[in-house]
Amino acid sequence: MKLAAGDRKVMELVYSQHYRFVCKWIGKTGGNEEDAADVCQESMIVLYEKAKNGDFELTCKLSTYLFAIARNLWHKKLQSRPKGFVAMEDDEDLNIEGNYEDDIKAHHERELHYAQLDKALAQLGEPCSSLLKSFYFKNSSMQQLATDFGYTNADNAKTQKYKCLARLKKIFYNTQVK
Amino acid sequence: MGNDKNIWELAEAYLDNKLAEQERAAVEERRLSDSVFAAEFQDCINMLNAMKGSGEHKQYKQALKEVHEQVVNVTDEELLPKTIRLWRNNWRTAAIAASIAILTSLTTFWFAQHNNKKIASQYSLLRRDLETYKRSQNKIIGDIKRQASTPELEARYTGTGFALTNDGYLVSSYHVIAGADSVYIQNKDGEYYKADMVAFNEATDVVILKVEHEGFTFNKQDIPYTIAKNKKKLGSRVFTLGFPQDEIVYNEGYISAKNGYGGDSTQYRLDIPAGPGQSGAPVADASGNIIGIITGKESESEGTTYAVASEAILELLSTLPKENSIRVPATNRLSRMSRENQIEKLEYYTCAIKVYKK
């Protein structure tokens, strides 16, 4: 994915501009730099997942889209903060560009989904947990895994991987149903 | 066990597009004919997709963090404005480049797209199952009850409610739904949705309900009003929207006393016409913020109505356990609108409540 890893330059460019915008705006509405960074990165992730999903049609400038997402995320954050926070009254234009509710919702659901997966992985125990993590999260090859985890060959490691997956599946679906 | 390994291998090859045409066809056929296999196979695919998706997600997050560090460092060093201007000028080009990048990614990652959709559908499937489960459970309860009491009579009450969050939490009067077998809301478009009780306070007569329908929202936009934290002043102009009849009805008036019936300090006394069915209706101030909930009226004098002050809503919300906490709307987008436009917006978030009792 070009925006993700292949083309770091594009990502840097988009991000730096986006960050500047959001920083200014969030500063005005009572947030700090940390908030801005959070919101910025989260909105980039929304964009990334959306692009990956394939149903992304740019109906406006990329920056506009990103900013709308960031703004919405920030509002949600403000709303979830404890009472005593001063409500803002002057953002009637919030709806003009749309606030991409669906995208944000999908994003939150996805985050939850992945968080559950992480939980399941943690419950899985070793060496399964590490094995799966290095294969799926770090893109290690089967051969690499075999040497790292002390299997005689790649095929053995593969068999082990499938066993681990089967166990993970059990844990994962059990926690989801509660 | 050997079989177990097999299905994973198959699923992985299937996803990576590494199956020969014949093998692929065989898998598809087996999925159609063998439902046990199909379900298990789908689970495997979902699992693999989740792992892959999660991995990519993590890597992207990491990359973002690194980029952030880089960007912040550049800003910190106060790079000359020239550079910034250069970036600014190139922004459009960058945006185009990025769009192209996204397009490219679509072709490269059409698989991933495939994946995520399936994750989503798996989600809804799971929920639907739970829903039907719940429904059948309700039915069972209903049946038992029906046997015990007289079956034919089914009394019906109506009230009004208004949204607390766009995704289905709403507020009404407790007495409207007290003792109900089932509660439905009817939204602006006349559609019925079942609602469940989340919390109530009998003393203040407030109830919080939740529409259980998957994907339900009151409107496309978030709630445009806030819930007042403090009592408004005597004489404040207020208005209300409610359902004393099938159609929504608007009324306006003012706060005529700071305390309600019998000096109840959790209430207001209002001078505003209200009829049966308007219990639970929102009372809003001039800028459209919710200040109370209609709860009752004086039977002797026409036009004297009592409303629970909105603090009672917040108080009830604060009693909810942390994991179920509800985010209260924090922004008002109605304050500068004309009354007509305020009403137009508010209509989306006000609903009739239909209560079924035996």
Side-chain angles (χ1 to χ4, degrees):
Chain A
M1 174 123 197
K2 249 185 162 179
L3 241 173
D7 202 336
R8 191 56 97 75
K9 269 271 166 295
V10 173
M11 192 166 145
E12 275 166 29
L13 213 53
V14 172
Y15 185 81
S16 67
Q17 181 77 23
H18 180 47
Y19 180 66
R20 244 168 271 268
F21 257 142
V22 172
C23 233
K24 249 192 219 160
W25 180 72
I26 280 188
K28 265 191 229 156
T29 51
N32 55 28
E33 256 172 52
E34 217 169 284
D35 292 327
D38 279 355
V39 166
C40 263
Q41 288 175 27
E42 218 176 325
S43 49
M44 290 285 283
I45 290 171
V46 173
L47 172 70
Y48 163 74
E49 291 287 353
K50 179 122 172 136
K52 226 168 78 168
N53 244 326
D55 53 0
F56 187 55
E57 268 174 54
L58 209 59
T59 49
C60 55
K61 265 167 61 185
L62 189 67
S63 56
T64 316
Y65 176 81
L66 272 174
F67 189 63
I69 292 282
R71 194 155 54 167
N72 195 329
L73 286 170
W74 177 234
H75 274 281
K76 291 242 154 74
K77 262 196 190 146
L78 282 185
Q79 284 183 10
S80 67
R81 290 215 167 153
K83 286 185 220 167
F85 189 83
V86 194
M88 296 170 293
E89 302 263 337
D90 57 343
D91 44 15
E92 278 168 20
D93 59 341
L94 190 66
N95 296 314
I96 292 175
E97 297 145 28
N99 45 23
Y100 304 99
E101 246 346 294
D102 291 348
D103 291 357
I104 303 238
K105 217 176 148 191
H107 167 69
H108 284 312
E109 265 177 23
R110 201 179 302 111
E111 291 280 333
L112 193 75
H113 189 70
Y114 288 151
Q116 279 172 339
L117 184 64
D118 282 346
K119 228 188 240 169
L121 268 172
Q123 278 177 35
L124 190 59
E126 299 300 344
C128 268
S129 178
S130 303
L131 186 94
L132 291 181
K133 272 185 197 157
S134 32
F135 182 76
Y136 286 103
F137 299 167
K138 292 180 195 135
N139 293 340
S140 308
S141 70
M142 263 357 275
Q143 192 54 55
Q144 182 70 37
L145 282 186
T147 40
D148 283 359
F149 288 85
Y151 296 109
T152 40
N153 57 40
D155 265 350
N156 268 349
K158 211 169 178 180
T159 313
Q160 190 58 39
K161 189 188 84 186
Y162 291 137
K163 278 185 189 162
C164 292
L165 275 172
R167 276 181 51 205
L168 178 67
K169 191 182 93 179
K170 241 184 220 159
I171 298 175
F172 187 49
Y173 286 116
N174 281 342
T175 50
Q176 270 199 334
V177 187
K178 274 173 202 167
Chain B
M1 216 53 216
N3 204 5
D4 226 346
K5 178 202 156 189
N6 227 332
I7 196 167
W8 285 102
E9 205 161 11
L10 208 59
E12 199 171 53
Y14 181 88
L15 277 180
D16 292 343
N17 241 353
K18 278 184 187 150
L19 284 180
E21 218 164 284
Q22 275 173 329
E23 290 174 301
R24 200 176 182 83
V27 169
E28 296 292 4
E29 202 188 302
R30 195 160 168 212
R31 282 176 93 174
L32 286 177
S33 60
D34 183 348
S35 64
V36 177
F37 169 78
E40 208 180 331
F41 191 72
Q42 188 58 52
D43 279 353
C44 290
I45 284 189
N46 287 340
M47 195 71 246
L48 288 169
N49 278 334
M51 286 301 288
K52 267 189 200 160
S54 175
E56 282 161 15
H57 194 83
K58 284 197 173 65
Q59 280 161 9
Y60 188 75
K61 258 191 185 165
Q62 188 53 40
L64 265 179
K65 263 194 198 131
E66 286 163 27
V67 168
H68 175 77
E69 290 301 317
Q70 235 169 309
V71 168
V72 170
N73 283 340
V74 170
T75 332
D76 283 353
E77 283 160 22
E78 280 302 325
L79 262 191
L80 296 168
K82 211 175 168 185
T83 332
I84 295 167
R85 207 175 305 131
L86 191 78
W87 275 357
R88 212 164 274 168
N89 290 341
N90 285 342
W91 169 237
R92 202 173 273 273
T93 333
I96 294 166
S99 336
I100 293 169
I102 288 163
L103 270 180
T104 327
S105 73
L106 294 192
T107 20
T108 333
F109 275 84
W110 70 272
F111 237 149
Q113 153 209 356
H114 213 59
N115 298 355
N116 273 334
K117 278 210 178 120
K118 272 196 190 133
I119 293 177
S121 69
Q122 166 207 336
Y123 250 89
S124 49
L125 264 179
L126 205 85
R127 286 197 194 154
R128 205 171 305 137
D129 282 346
L130 284 175
E131 246 173 43
T132 40
Y133 177 60
K134 241 189 248 163
R135 213 172 292 144
S136 62
Q137 214 180 27
N138 279 347
K139 248 191 197 156
I140 295 165
I141 294 167
D143 284 341
I144 295 166
K145 270 193 187 157
R146 208 162 288 157
Q147 279 164 5
S149 61
T150 43
E152 299 89 8
L153 262 176
E154 199 171 324
R156 193 175 132 176
Y157 299 85
T158 67
T160 306
F162 60 95
L164 203 54
T165 68
N166 196 25
D167 63 356
Y169 283 100
L170 64 142
V171 181
S172 184
S173 294
Y174 175 68
H175 75 259
V176 171
I177 66 120
D181 290 315
S182 55
V183 179
Y184 284 82
I185 72 144
Q186 193 180 15
N187 69 1
K188 186 175 182 289
D189 299 327
E191 294 157 353
Y192 282 86
Y193 293 98
K194 192 172 190 323
D196 289 344
M197 189 159 77
V198 177
F200 69 94
N201 184 338
E202 199 172 351
T204 52
D205 195 24
V206 180
V207 67
I208 296 172
L209 303 168
K210 168 88 165 84
V211 176
E212 286 307 337
H213 188 77
E214 167 87 16
F216 172 88
T217 53
F218 283 96
N219 195 5
K220 288 191 195 91
Q221 291 135 17
D222 243 341
I223 311 279
Y225 47 77
T226 65
I227 312 281
K229 295 187 181 79
N230 304 308
K231 270 201 161 182
K232 293 285 158 190
K233 287 181 180 157
L234 188 64
S236 300
R237 285 271 155 196
V238 296
F239 68 93
T240 180
L241 287 170
F243 290 90
Q245 56 190 61
D246 279 345
E247 200 184 348
I248 197 162
V249 170
Y250 168 82
N251 278 311
E252 59 180 34
Y254 51 87
I255 298 177
S256 57
K258 266 202 112 172
N259 291 326
Y261 189 73
D264 187 341
S265 65
T266 65
Q267 295 188 344
Y268 291 112
R269 178 188 147 130
L270 307 176
D271 218 74
I272 198 167
Q278 259 170 289
S279 271
V283 180
D285 65 6
S287 51
N289 289 321
I290 304 299
I291 65 145
I293 314 164
I294 299 271
T295 174
K297 60 182 238 171
E298 203 148 273
S299 33
E300 295 110 77
S301 61
E302 206 46 53
T304 302
T305 304
Y306 295 102
V308 182
S310 54
E311 292 158 291
I313 305 174
L314 300 174
E315 196 191 291
L316 182 56
L317 281 175
S318 67
T319 64
L320 290 177
K322 225 179 186 172
E323 61 271 22
N324 302 338
S325 68
I326 300 169
R327 299 165 178 177
V328 202
T331 49
N332 181 305
R333 297 197 301 272
L334 302 171
S335 57
R336 288 187 213 151
M337 287 184 192
S338 68
R339 180 56 51 85
E340 293 88 328
N341 289 337
Q342 286 181 339
I343 295 169
E344 203 182 337
K345 292 269 180 209
L346 270 175
E347 266 188 68
Y348 283 100
Y349 303 98
T350 312
C351 57
I353 292 187
K354 314 263 174 179
V355 176
Y356 296 86
K357 271 188 202 178
K358 301 223 172 64

